[in-house]
Amino acid sequence: MIFFSCKKYVEVEPKGKITPTTVSDYQLLLNNTTIWNVTWGTTEYLTDDIGITDATLLTKIAAREIYSIYQFSDYYYQVSQDDPEWNSFYKQIYTANVIINGLPTATSGTDAQKQQMTAEGKSAQGVCLPLPG
């Protein structure tokens, strides 16, 4: 059997995307507010802090999964739907792992910068994980 190298296909830099290689690239990941500034939202509808009494508002949310959560339905999302909060938080964990694993081999930057940013990545990762129990 003859094996051909796929290196020229695998190592192609995707257009419009940045593969982090420098300390500066990893800093951009740490500063990306669209990844890190995400909070819980729909779970608030499961508390007694919210009572929807406005019929118009109730009609507007009835078409969304929020209504299922508000009504304590057995299933909030259909099998074909994603949970947007779940996806957001696991994107944070994934990004933190990219930072933690990639910084040791990053070009440029000092060891002190790499250690600081690794600590920030670990801190962000810890914040994203659900509490045990």
Side-chain angles (χ1 to χ4, degrees), residues 31-98:
N31 294 340
N32 187 338
T33 56
T34 59
I35 294 172
W36 302 110
N37 288 349
V38 178
T39 61
W40 296 98
T42 55
T43 53
E44 187 68 22
Y45 289 98
L46 293 168
T47 70
D48 59 355
D49 294 337
I50 291 183
I52 301 175
T53 56
D54 182 354
T56 305
L57 180 59
L58 195 56
T59 303
K60 286 181 181 179
I61 70 164
R64 298 176 49 206
E65 62 274 353
I66 293 172
Y67 185 73
S68 297
I69 294 170
Y70 183 70
Q71 295 293 319
F72 292 96
S73 298
D74 289 336
Y75 300 100
Y76 302 144
Y77 300 102
Q78 299 299 319
V79 173
S80 61
Q81 289 179 301
D82 281 338
D83 180 343
E85 288 178 350
W86 176 277
N87 292 343
S88 296
F89 290 116
Y90 276 88
K91 183 175 184 176
Q92 290 177 348
I93 293 169
Y94 172 80
T95 304
N97 284 334
V98 166

Side-chain angles (χ1 to χ4, degrees), residues 13-25:
E13 184 76 26
K15 293 186 181 194
K17 304 289 181 184
I18 297 173
T19 302
T21 55
T22 66
V23 171
S24 178
D25 293 339

